[in-house]
Amino acid sequence: MSETKLSVLTNVRERENGLLKHVYGYMSLGLIITALFSYLISQSSSAIRFIYSNPFVTILCAIAELGLVMFLSMRLERMNTRTAQICFITYSILTGVTLSSIFLVYTGASIAKAFTTTALMFIALTIYANVTKRNIASWGTYLMMGLFGIIIASTINLFFGFRSVDLFISILGVIIFLGLTVYDSKRVIDMNREYGSEMTEEEYTKIGIIGALNLYLDFLNIFLYLLRLFGASSSRD
């Protein structure tokens, strides 16, 4: 290991800056891969037909996505960095496949508006998380409770289809994932400090990947909930 790398890994403050760049770099890569695959598939009528006319393919992709997230979250400490990187990229590709339908359901204007709004809010909240001295560790429990609540409410509303409930769920979803963006950003900083002056290169990479995955999911969910809101607004115009 070079002296420069050793200096970064043993200097908490210097390592924090590098780790955050690492996290946002991975997250951005994941979002680019997802957007690219989503758009390319949406432009292929044969690919769309294959995916959405065959329920087995859609279900298989959804199960694979869930499995990869659980695998990364639960086994990250025991897997090598190359496997973790491959899992993250594979998850980004699968998400792109399953999200290709948004280009068929929503207008380009709604997608652009939702993405721009998400990006601006995300940047503002990550900056806040990086500068605040406030202890927000207790947020995690309440945010997860809220997340489970909207999952249950969304499942129930599938059978009733109340638009007012769907609107409320979308607004609540945006708020919860905005909170998770702050929490997950701050968690990366806190994890870095917990290691003190002892962190291996492998631990550095793995924290970067799991931090990127969490923020990738936060960004994506904010975008999708905003898209539902903007899409609903456009349909009423």
Side-chain angles (χ1 to χ4, degrees):
M1 186 185 298
S2 67
E3 286 188 16
T4 304
K5 273 189 178 178
L6 185 60
S7 171
V8 170
L9 291 174
T10 56
N11 185 312
V12 178
R13 184 61 191 169
E14 191 177 348
R15 190 179 66 214
E16 180 181 301
N17 295 331
L19 190 57
L20 289 171
K21 289 178 184 176
H22 202 51
V23 167
Y24 298 132
Y26 269 119
M27 187 204 80
S28 299
L29 175 63
L31 289 172
I32 291 168
I33 290 172
T34 297
L36 181 62
F37 272 82
S38 182
Y39 177 75
L40 290 176
I41 289 172
S42 72
Q43 299 305 299
S44 170
S45 56
S46 57
I48 289 292
R49 237 185 345 262
F50 174 73
I51 295 168
Y52 295 103
S53 65
N54 189 343
F56 177 75
V57 175
T58 308
I59 293 170
L60 187 63
C61 286
I63 292 172
E65 282 183 83
L66 181 61
L68 278 171
V69 169
M70 292 178 66
F71 182 67
L72 267 171
S73 301
M74 297 169 64
R75 306 267 310 171
L76 185 66
E77 289 184 7
R78 284 172 282 181
M79 71 174 71
N80 61 54
T81 54
R82 180 63 62 190
T83 302
Q85 289 167 336
I86 291 171
C87 285
F88 179 72
I89 291 170
T90 303
Y91 180 80
S92 301
I93 292 171
L94 283 171
T95 303
V97 173
T98 56
L99 289 184
S100 55
S101 62
I102 67 171
F103 290 97
L104 307 176
V105 176
Y106 299 100
T107 64
S110 292
I111 293 171
K113 190 192 298 185
F115 181 84
T116 303
T117 306
T118 302
L120 291 173
M121 290 194 297
F122 188 89
I123 291 168
L125 288 171
T126 52
I127 291 173
Y128 170 75
N130 292 338
V131 300
T132 185
K133 303 298 181 184
R134 186 176 177 182
N135 185 352
I136 60 171
S138 61
W139 288 21
T141 302
Y142 298 107
L143 289 168
M144 291 309 296
M145 287 170 61
L147 180 57
F148 283 121
I150 61 173
I151 290 172
I152 293 169
S154 297
T155 304
I156 294 172
N157 200 47
L158 283 174
F159 299 99
F160 298 99
F162 294 130
R163 293 197 59 154
S164 57
V165 174
D166 191 57
L167 180 66
F168 175 74
I169 289 171
S170 296
I171 294 170
L172 190 58
V174 170
I175 293 170
I176 288 171
F177 280 101
L178 287 174
L180 282 169
T181 297
V182 178
Y183 176 81
D184 289 331
S185 297
K186 192 74 164 60
R187 182 63 188 140
V188 172
I189 297 169
D190 292 342
M191 285 175 69
N192 174 63
R193 291 174 183 171
E194 285 167 10
Y195 275 84
S197 60
E198 297 181 3
M199 181 184 286
T200 66
E201 191 172 355
E202 188 170 336
E203 289 168 338
Y204 178 86
T205 303
K206 287 179 179 180
I207 292 172
I209 292 171
I210 196 64
L213 177 63
N214 289 334
L215 288 170
Y216 168 94
L217 291 171
D218 295 337
F219 187 101
L220 207 57
N221 278 285
I222 294 168
F223 167 71
L224 291 174
Y225 280 118
L226 283 176
L227 188 57
R228 286 166 64 178
L229 290 170
F230 291 146
S233 175
S234 296
S235 67
R236 290 194 297 268
D237 292 341

